[in-house]
Amino acid sequence: MGKPNRKHRAAKQQARQGGSDFWTAPDSGNVTAADIANAIMTTAMDSAQSGARSKSPKGDSVVAKRFADQLAGSDLPVHDVELGAHLAGQHIITRAFQNGWLPADIHQAAQRRVDAFAISFLIDVMAAYMRPFAPATVDETWLEQLRELAADTWWSDSASHLGQWAAKHMLTTGEALTTVVEALALLILLPKLELIRQLPGTARPHAEVPHHIDEKVLGRVRGLLAKAESTSFPEEAEALSAKAQELMTKYALDRVLVDADTSVPDLPGARRIWLDTPYVDAKALLIDVVAKANRSRAIFASAWGFMTIIGDDADLDAVELLSTSLLVQATRAMIASGNTETRSDEARSRTFRKSFLVAYASRIGERLEAATAATIAESVEPERLLPVLASHQIAVDAAFDTLFPQARTRGVSIRSAEGWEAGRAAADRARLDARRSLDR
């Protein structure tokens, strides 16, 4: 084994032991930025593993702080330390992206597991990752998510990023390096996901733009859902949601007929929707029934709390819009039901509320499916439409099975009959009649 490999192995071993000897070793004058990056990554790995054992969402803070303080107090050049942090960040973020994580997914995971400093650092790491790629070779979803995160290279090239970032947040070098280790430990903990969007640099220039819902239709749908969320009357809220579903269905049916006449089909895409606690499994069921009503398939990653939806991009827009609104409405109806004077004490329990949301989702699913079926039956060309929809479903199923070949169906337990009945009643109060006309 050559000398560089021996040095890297020693660096890893000393990092695992707290780093006390690494910086004072006889050959410390030969330590490079790459060696420091290697030590940072090793410590992040140890922090992640130790944190996983103790069920700490941000890794082992003791390991991170001890290493960071020793690195900050060493006599190594500041530029090399900061460059090492940059190299470590780029190496691990590249791995996370190759493992299927998108910028918005990393941000969602970070919001749930690390502090605001680590989130800020990760956004900058993602911005730096994007610098070499021409926009024309980057998938539209990537560009949109990075814009929403305001991920840009705000720092000057005249100095290393870490020093400028630490000054911006008024952190000491030790505090900044602790944040680096904690942020990278989170990335290391991220499991491998399905690659649902092309990596930057691999998207074809001038490729077909995904077929999203027309902006005029989108504006009307958003208006209906905004009214549904603002009203204090459950019947009105659910009727407005039904109108939104009908409008989206009519648009989708017109679109699939047009696409059937083209030589290039609108291929299924994929999107992730993250859920907030509590009752994430019940909320996942609500998204699942909305996906089915909009010609899509969904699967729940319970360990991290997100749904992956497979379908045409316009249908995915519909699923995201409607499910987000219905989650707001369902939560409000659940709380209102529990606060009713005629309810028992059980109505404010977790079992009641979870059962309520499951029942609500089940009944809403039935009504959305009925609304969609009625819209199809009343379409101008139902005989021509049904074979096209069947072909569309085959394409969606094939895409789903390719991404999730080992998917399994899992039920949601119900432990409150009172909650179930209340949830069904809340979803049943509305006149969800898909044949009601819309003002056009």
Side-chain angles (χ1 to χ4, degrees), residues 362-382:
S362 175
R363 184 55 181 153
I364 286 294
E366 293 169 4
R367 295 198 147 204
L368 290 178
E369 290 284 1
T372 298
T375 304
I376 292 173
E378 293 185 352
S379 64
V380 177
E381 303 177 84

Side-chain angles (χ1 to χ4, degrees), residues 92-327:
I92 295 181
I93 197 68
T94 299
R95 174 180 172 272
F97 287 149
Q98 290 174 343
N99 281 345
W101 288 77
L102 295 171
D105 298 325
I106 289 175
H107 184 249
Q108 289 282 354
Q111 285 184 310
R112 289 158 172 77
R113 301 202 171 206
V114 294
D115 61 24
F117 294 123
I119 293 172
S120 170
F121 178 76
L122 286 170
I123 290 174
D124 283 0
V125 169
M126 290 189 280
Y129 172 86
M130 293 300 299
R131 293 187 83 168
F133 303 109
T137 66
V138 180
D139 181 89
E140 178 196 15
T141 297
W142 276 78
L143 296 175
E144 181 180 347
Q145 291 186 4
L146 291 164
R147 280 194 299 268
E148 291 178 353
L149 294 176
D152 58 75
T153 51
W154 55 267
W155 56 92
S156 170
D157 289 336
S158 61
S160 299
H161 163 262
L162 186 63
Q164 297 177 71
W165 177 83
K168 178 180 178 181
H169 293 281
M170 295 184 289
L171 299 176
T172 65
T173 301
E175 290 170 338
L177 288 169
T178 299
T179 296
V180 170
V181 174
E182 290 178 345
L184 299 187
L186 169 68
L187 295 182
I188 289 171
L189 285 169
L190 300 179
K192 187 171 183 178
L193 300 179
E194 298 71 26
L195 195 64
I196 63 173
R197 293 291 178 182
Q198 291 176 294
L199 291 169
T202 63
R204 292 173 298 171
H206 312 300
E208 290 290 328
V209 177
H211 194 153
H212 295 284
I213 295 179
D214 179 84
E215 283 299 322
K216 291 183 179 180
V217 176
L218 201 58
R220 293 183 63 199
V221 169
R222 284 174 174 158
L224 288 168
L225 295 177
K227 290 179 181 178
E229 292 171 28
S230 63
T231 181
S232 58
F233 300 100
E235 294 87 352
E236 182 182 7
E238 293 172 15
L240 288 165
S241 298
K243 287 185 178 182
Q245 174 65 41
E246 180 185 358
L247 182 57
M248 291 184 292
T249 299
K250 288 182 176 179
Y251 174 82
L253 298 184
D254 291 341
R255 192 194 75 247
V256 297
L257 288 176
V258 171
D259 290 345
D261 294 331
T262 65
S263 58
V264 180
D266 190 8
L267 298 176
R271 193 171 303 179
R272 296 188 182 110
I273 299 177
W274 286 73
L275 302 172
D276 293 323
T277 56
Y279 318 118
V280 289
D281 49 352
K283 293 174 181 177
L285 179 59
L286 181 56
I287 293 180
D288 183 62
V289 301
V290 174
K292 289 178 180 176
N294 288 278
R295 300 154 298 282
S296 303
R297 296 278 301 275
I299 188 169
F300 181 41
S302 57
W304 288 84
F306 65 82
M307 298 284 287
T308 303
I309 318 296
I310 310 298
D312 292 349
D313 281 291
D315 291 335
L316 297 180
D317 289 340
V319 172
E320 190 166 17
L321 278 171
L322 188 57
S323 60
T324 300
S325 179
L326 284 173
L327 284 171

Side-chain angles (χ1 to χ4, degrees), residues 79-90:
H79 177 270
D80 287 351
V81 172
E82 294 178 348
L83 179 56
H86 168 77
L87 294 174
Q90 291 307 297

Side-chain angles (χ1 to χ4, degrees), residues 21 42 49 62 155 197 250 392 412 422:
D21 297 329
T42 300
Q49 293 174 342
V62 174
W155 56 92
R197 293 291 178 182
K250 288 182 176 179
H392 170 276
V412 181

Side-chain angles (χ1 to χ4, degrees), residues 279 281-282 350-358 412-413 415:
Y279 318 118
D281 49 352
R350 289 182 61 88
T351 54
F352 174 94
R353 291 186 167 185
K354 180 178 177 180
S355 299
F356 181 102
L357 290 174
V358 172
V412 181
S413 60
R415 294 189 174 91

